[in-house]
Amino acid sequence: MISSPVVVIFSFLLLITSTPTTIHAQDGPIETPSSTSSSTSSSPKTPKFNPKNKVLIACGSQEDVSLPDGRTFKSDPSTVSNLSSEEDVKVNVDTLPPPPKDDVSSSKLPPPPPLPLYNSARIFPSAASYKFPISQPGFHLIRLYFFPLPHTTYNLSNAVFRVTTENFVLLHDFTVPNPTPIFKEYLLNLTTQTLTLKFSPKKNSFAFINAIEVISVPDDLISDTASAVPSVENVEGVAKHAFEVALRLNVGGPLLTPRNDTLWRTWYPDEEFNAFPEGTNKTGVNPREVKYPEGGATRFIAPSWVYATAAEMGNADTIKANFNLTWKMPVDPSYDYLIRLHFCDVVSIALNELYFNVYVNGMMGAPSFDLSTLTSALSTAYYRDFVINSTTIANGLVIIQVGPASGGSGDPNAILNGVEVIKMSNSAGSLSGLFDVEGNYMGAASGSKTMKILAVVGLVMGMVALLLVVVMFVRWQKRPLDCPRNNSFSSWLLPLTTSHSSFLSSKSASITASRKSSLFGSRKSNMFASTNQGVGKFFSFNELQDASNNFDENAVIGVGGFGKVYMGKLDDGTKVAIKRGNPQSEQGINEFQTEIQMLSQLRHRHLVSLIGYCDENAEMCLVYEFMSNGVLREHLYGSKLNAPMPWKQRLEICIGSARGLHYLHTGAAHCIIHRDVKTTNILLDENFVAKVSDFGLSKAACLMEQTHVSTAVKGSFGYLDPEYFRRQQLTEKSDVYSFGVVLLEVLTARPAINPALPRDQVNLAEWAMSNYRKGLLEKIVDPNLQGTISSGSLKKYVEAAEKCLAEYGVDRPSMGDVLWNLEYALQLQEASTKTEATEDKSSLLIPLETAPIMGINGVESSSAPTSDDHTEVGASAFSQIANFQGR
Ligand SMILES: *[C@@H]1O[C@H](CO)[C@@H](O)[C@H](O)[C@H]1NC(C)=O
Ligand SMILES: *[C@@H]1O[C@H](CO)[C@@H](O)[C@H](O)[C@H]1NC(C)=O
Ligand SMILES: *[C@@H]1O[C@H](CO)[C@@H](O)[C@H](O)[C@H]1NC(C)=O
Ligand SMILES: *[C@@H]1O[C@H](CO)[C@@H](O)[C@H](O)[C@H]1NC(C)=O
Ligand SMILES: *[C@@H]1O[C@H](CO)[C@@H](O)[C@H](O)[C@H]1NC(C)=O
Ligand SMILES: *[C@@H]1O[C@H](CO)[C@@H](O)[C@H](O)[C@H]1NC(C)=O
Ligand SMILES: *[C@@H]1O[C@H](CO)[C@@H](O)[C@H](O)[C@H]1NC(C)=O
């Protein structure tokens, strides 16, 4: 897991700094926020906290460095006594290099302000540490500044390192690839007499740091108790964590720099994160009017600038009065978060006018929140802490909403003044990754044992592979005579026949229908004959009402984001699945359209077919072929567990699904990214043929012109590609990642996320891979499969899964490669059972005529119907895909 979710951009930074600031010195005599006149010099200086412990170091700098906020960072020579480092490498520049033009502006997180601190750095070719005496224990702010300056020997963009304290991991496998500043801010309760900040380079790499800041903060900055969401009881023990500030917003107000804050913090404006700016009015009072109550919020909790400005609901005449103000903030979803919300009633004219609800991640955080009772005065600062569990973070977003509640005497309204999103350390005591301070992978067993096992398994694999090649060659020599002689060895492997191509164009729609009838033993020809669009039949709402017994709740076979799915029976007796959209949901309408668009272009044996649709009187329904064996998940650990599926069948299902996805990525005119690959979106028909379903989130991306599409993060928690989440750039490799999770789910028969398990087991991908790396593969295999999987097959399979789960998309295989590996795993499994049965080595390979090897075009086994009806459209593309050279 990369340590920095903050990808910074200069352009945004310029934008902020060039915006005329309208607010002047803190707590002094001030103009109203709308005034633009400047009288900074005449404003008295902001009274600041005088920290007991204070470390300010400009690493690598020959001279002290003064900041605009009036503080001075000490030079390197004057602090070298606190550093223990074997080498003495420094770098200094007069001006920073220009920011990159093609920066990764996909991140919505704002960049840190430019500071002279980034002009020098210290480089550590080997582990080094700074030690500072801590005279007063308690919470401290630790701020780290990074910028990869140019250096003749070291390319700082390639530095990969860890930063740890005595008890916590701050950064792991940290790297600053782009020439943009990175600012990290931590809140730690320091309990030892010294603070050791250790920089440990990764093997063959090095570390660097531009500046370090450690200041003690008032003890009441972090309280041990917070509201749980949904609010039942309070959460205790909050303060025992280490914290990293992910984002701090001055809602409704301007950027606040360290000059304007009591603890030299930075507060960003909220516009970037406001999901409904049209409905939002900014409002505010003079900061001097903000009152701090006895025993409540202090100016160290947040300066009066934060409390003085707010967002409130926009004009009630033009917008429906009842809606939520909504902020969405991207976070790393593998951590719990402390969410601190700041409120100050700067909108009401009298007390008891304003009642509103506060929601965190869609759950009620505080119902009928009543600032009048909580503060008993207007314009009074108030804050509340919420702790959210990582399991409630969907799509990598923390969502804060405020909306009116009944009971207030004024117009419906809701406000928010400030937000802090603060990451909490995990069970490994880390804010970055799952390695503890000692570098143990969640208390992993010794690595050497793992290596030995891997080596042995690798050797066995190699021998099996060699044997296979020999056997294949022997069989090739003895191949049937009707197999054309001039075929190359590899093309002999591929039963490619041009007639087996795609259904892309459904010119011959009625023939497609007859194929369908033969496959599903039902009569659907009328539907497909009625259209030549591929969209299928248009149904009237009445027809569907009849078919589903008036949408009988007992006929519900599934519930999705789009709405409920009902089982139905058409007039002619065909069983269908009817997905009925929720017309209120705008998301629903979009997904409905996406799905019709996608499915009308796609026909594949491993994709669920759309039979028709209904779009009438605000009712939206999609009608699909009925899949009598339901979703894959139910067969793994759900209601259909009574007959656990054997390994071979599971492999075949994985292969089928992989084929469907491979077709999506490469077979259609455009590369289509599914975006929601999971075991509930893989359906099984009566013959347990796997079909990928639910294209509501899918996106078409043309592979030729661009390799990714930039988009808001969508998908399902537990399956979400971490890289996609970080960069919000979608590639087909995100599906590959999700499919890797599916593979593990099939092997282990447990959900992708199981919040009921101990912390280190919650996430399937992490848990399974950690056991795999420890050589404890047998620990994760579904007990129902124990002893039935050939070791070669298992090895190949898990290898494929591991590759799918690679941190970076570029390191993941294509679906075609995954497919190949799964086919291989199936062959190894078959081979092992055959040799057991007959002791005949020559039968290691399954007979070619029935082998599902590498048939990409959707018809692979002898049980599949003939498909001469397929058009030629995809043929050339497929022959390119079906290229297994170099393996
Ligand atoms: C912050 O303080 C500085 C100096 O006191 C002032 O020039 C600037 O306008 C202030 N900015 C804001 C947003 O308060
Ligand atoms: C460096 O170490 C010395 C001795 O431990 C200490 O007095 C001094 O305050 C330290 N410097 C900083 C910046 O903490
Ligand atoms: C440093 O490494 C990065 C990433 O490998 C590369 O893009 C950059 O060109 C290198 N810079 C120099 C000066 O070699
Ligand atoms: C910091 O930790 C110490 C030791 O665990 C504890 O006694 C102290 O109360 C903590 N400080 C705060 C502010 O929570
Ligand atoms: C929102 O702002 C607009 C323009 O400033 C103003 O006309 C309107 O009355 C405001 N709405 C509310 C509810 O304050
Ligand atoms: C406000 O958001 C909450 C949580 O997402 C939701 O339950 C509620 O229906 C929303 N209210 C309105 C009026 O949209
Ligand atoms: C999050 O949920 C898991 C499982 O329900 C639980 O073990 C963990 O303690 C929770 N974390 C917090 C901070 O409540």
Side-chain angles (χ1 to χ4, degrees), residues 452-517:
K452 266 184 221 150
I453 293 175
L454 283 184
V456 170
V457 174
L459 197 67
V460 172
M461 282 300 306
M463 286 164 69
V464 172
L466 194 69
L467 194 62
L468 267 171
V469 168
V470 169
V471 170
M472 268 150 90
F473 185 73
V474 169
R475 285 188 59 84
W476 180 58
Q477 294 276 306
K478 298 187 190 160
R479 71 199 175 282
L481 283 171
D482 57 345
C483 183
R485 261 283 170 196
N486 59 352
N487 270 3
S488 72
F489 183 72
S490 67
S491 70
W492 177 83
L493 273 173
L494 315 173
L496 253 192
T497 40
T498 44
S499 61
H500 293 186
S501 54
S502 79
F503 299 56
L504 256 186
S505 139
S506 40
K507 268 181 262 159
S508 46
S510 56
I511 314 180
T512 314
S514 66
R515 175 197 150 269
K516 290 247 156 239
S517 5

Side-chain angles (χ1 to χ4, degrees), residues 55 74 82 132-133:
V55 176
K74 286 199 195 133
N82 302 65
F132 310 110

Side-chain angles (χ1 to χ4, degrees), residues 54-57 74 79 81-82 131-133:
K54 186 167 85 174
V55 176
L56 303 172
I57 302 181
K74 286 199 195 133
T79 53
S81 63
N82 302 65
K131 280 197 167 59
F132 310 110

Side-chain angles (χ1 to χ4, degrees), residues 22-23 33 249-255 268-271 274 280-285 305-306 308-312 327 416-419:
T22 54
I23 306 184
L249 299 181
N250 177 20
V251 178
L255 172 76
Y268 292 95
D270 68 302
E271 282 94 348
N274 190 333
T280 312
N281 262 18
K282 291 182 185 181
T283 182
V285 295
W305 291 106
V306 171
T309 60
E312 65 171 335
W327 289 265
L416 183 64
N417 300 61
V419 182

Side-chain angles (χ1 to χ4, degrees), residues 18-36:
S18 61
T19 325
T21 33
T22 54
I23 306 184
H24 309 288
Q26 153 109 24
D27 294 330
I30 321 154
E31 288 88 351
T32 56
S34 59
S35 154
T36 49

Side-chain angles (χ1 to χ4, degrees), residues 290-447:
V290 172
K291 294 184 273 290
Y292 289 93
E294 285 290 311
T298 65
R299 57 187 72 247
F300 299 116
I301 295 290
S304 54
W305 291 106
V306 171
Y307 289 112
T309 60
E312 65 171 335
M313 289 172 66
N315 202 327
D317 299 338
T318 51
I319 302 171
K320 225 169 47 179
N322 191 15
F323 64 92
N324 289 324
L325 297 178
T326 303
W327 289 265
K328 296 184 175 176
M329 291 151 285
V331 293
D332 180 342
S334 37
Y335 295 83
D336 296 337
Y337 285 83
L338 174 66
I339 309 287
R340 177 167 288 180
L341 302 183
H342 300 273
F343 300 98
C344 182
D345 188 349
V346 293
V347 301
S348 297
I349 300 161
L351 284 175
N352 302 318
E353 280 190 348
L354 179 68
Y355 283 59
F356 56 94
N357 296 325
V358 180
Y359 307 93
V360 181
N361 280 359
M363 295 171 297
M364 182 65 81
S368 286
F369 200 60
D370 173 14
L371 286 173
S372 300
T373 330
L374 294 165
T375 61
S376 46
L378 295 178
S379 303
T380 305
Y382 183 80
Y383 73 98
R384 178 152 313 172
D385 288 341
F386 299 90
V387 166
I388 54 165
N389 204 305
S390 62
T391 52
T392 71
I393 302 174
N395 304 330
L397 291 171
V398 164
I399 303 174
I400 305 297
Q401 288 168 299
V402 291
S406 54
S409 57
D411 288 336
N413 204 353
I415 61 161
L416 183 64
N417 300 61
V419 182
E420 289 175 88
V421 179
I422 302 172
K423 192 200 260 186
M424 294 165 65
S425 56
N426 61 21
S427 56
S430 169
L431 287 158
S432 172
L434 290 164
F435 293 82
D436 67 9
V437 171
E438 266 81 48
N440 297 324
Y441 188 78
M442 300 163 76
S446 81

Side-chain angles (χ1 to χ4, degrees), residues 569-615:
K569 206 174 208 175
L570 299 180
D571 275 344
D572 62 359
T574 317
K575 276 191 182 172
V576 291
I578 304 170
K579 191 155 152 189
R580 185 187 187 189
N582 170 6
Q584 260 79 55
S585 137
E586 194 176 344
Q587 160 113 352
I589 297 173
N590 290 340
E591 292 191 16
F592 177 82
Q593 285 165 347
T594 312
E595 183 135 25
I596 291 195
Q597 269 167 17
M598 291 292 169
L599 279 177
S600 58
Q601 307 164 26
L602 303 169
R603 286 280 180 277
H604 189 270
R605 176 162 148 78
H606 292 291
L607 302 183
V608 165
S609 313
L610 185 69
I611 294 177
Y613 69 101
C614 161
D615 188 359

